[in-house]
Amino acid sequence: MNHTRPERRQGPSLVRGGLVPESTHDQRLLDRRGPTGWLHEDPWRVLRIQSEFVEGFGALADLPPAVTVFGSARTGPDSPEYELGVKVGAALAKAGYAVITGGGPGVMEAANKGALEAGGVSVGLGIELPHEQRLNDYVDLGIEFRYFFVRKTMFVKYASGFVALPGGFGTLDELFEALTLVQTRKVTSFPVIMMGVAFWSPLIDWIRDTLLATRKVSPQDLELVSVTDDPDEAVRIIMEADRRTATQ
């Protein structure tokens, strides 16, 4: 059997070889170039988007309290960041939290691995990409999404907090979206924790020395995020936020 053919997950479906399209569902949804046929197709896309929300809500509704962990897919298994991801996943699982990641390799795999090996619930929310990125082997419950904004909703709706380990554009996107949701009070009592002091400190310095200094953010906005190297401290921050929510 030839296993070198290109393949792609498309929601619940898997296509290989010549059936793999050149673009993703997100690209086609957001592309306004070319013929105006998209005017007639978008209502049908809305139904597909609706079905993704329904499927995600149905699959995740019975999760125990959960924490979403973000980080680079490019992190190697021999790196200190991967080891930190395993420790974070294990610490969260031992505290009774399910661990939700993007389901891919690198730090996401590390957090799923830590949760699984510690006896916790390990969740992976994958996304259709131009280059196939399969769900890692440590995921207990996996869902593949077509649309980023549906997936992002699931990251937030079913989590008691975010933990961001070192990562690239995707991690920064998710980190700042979480901070924006907390800042604008779209979500409440929602801790955002950046793990890896050496990695994140330059960004914190820039936020303080540039954004705060030019009044692009308020002093209290700097309190929306915690920075640590200690998985146990990260868990403590999340548990304290949960206790505050329970007493409100």
Side-chain angles (χ1 to χ4, degrees):
M1 179 68 68
N2 181 8
H3 295 287
T4 62
R5 290 188 301 158
E7 67 177 43
R8 180 182 300 171
R9 296 289 310 202
Q10 296 190 129
S13 304
L14 171 69
V15 293
R16 289 188 172 124
L19 295 181
V20 176
E22 294 182 357
S23 60
T24 67
H25 285 83
D26 268 329
Q27 286 175 286
R28 295 192 288 276
L29 172 65
L30 299 175
D31 191 357
R32 297 185 59 188
R33 299 170 297 175
T36 58
W38 62 272
L39 286 169
H40 307 290
E41 296 172 2
D42 279 355
W44 295 104
R45 288 196 178 108
V46 170
L47 294 177
R48 178 175 284 163
I49 291 166
Q50 178 181 334
S51 73
E52 287 210 339
F53 276 113
V54 171
E55 183 177 350
F57 291 158
L60 300 174
D62 293 327
L63 280 182
V67 174
T68 297
V69 180
F70 296 119
S72 176
R74 306 184 185 191
T75 300
D78 297 327
S79 71
E81 293 168 0
Y82 189 98
E83 181 180 355
L84 180 60
V86 173
K87 291 179 179 178
V88 169
L92 289 168
K94 291 175 183 177
Y97 292 98
V99 172
I100 302 173
T101 78
V107 168
M108 295 176 282
E109 176 185 289
N112 286 134
K113 178 181 179 180
L116 182 66
E117 292 180 345
V121 178
S122 176
V123 180
L125 307 183
I127 186 71
E128 176 192 2
L129 296 172
H131 303 288
E132 175 64 15
Q133 179 175 288
R134 62 182 291 275
L135 291 174
N136 67 68
D137 293 333
Y138 300 99
V139 168
D140 289 320
L141 171 61
I143 308 174
E144 296 276 4
F145 292 94
R146 294 180 177 92
Y147 299 106
F148 265 110
F149 57 87
V150 180
R151 181 187 188 223
K152 284 183 174 182
T153 300
M154 303 302 157
F155 280 142
V156 175
K157 179 172 175 59
Y158 294 101
S160 299
F162 280 177
V163 175
L165 281 85
F169 286 160
T171 302
L172 291 172
D173 171 58
E174 291 148 350
L175 170 64
F176 280 107
E177 180 157 3
L179 289 173
T180 301
L181 290 172
V182 177
Q183 180 195 48
T184 57
R185 298 186 180 180
K186 293 295 185 180
V187 292
T188 55
S189 299
F190 195 88
V192 180
I193 303 165
M194 301 160 76
M195 301 239 20
V197 174
F199 183 87
W200 292 114
S201 289
L203 178 59
I204 296 296
D205 291 342
W206 178 78
I207 292 172
R208 182 185 62 247
D209 299 339
T210 301
L211 297 186
L212 181 60
T214 57
R215 299 183 180 179
K216 302 297 188 298
V217 296
S218 302
Q220 59 265 32
D221 291 335
L222 294 179
E223 301 174 6
L224 299 179
V225 62
S226 303
V227 186
T228 182
D229 286 324
D230 184 359
D232 292 331
E233 182 180 2
V235 172
R236 177 185 58 77
I237 292 169
I238 293 168
M239 294 181 69
E240 288 179 354
D242 278 347
R243 283 195 289 269
R244 287 194 299 270
T245 301
T247 59
Q248 291 176 352

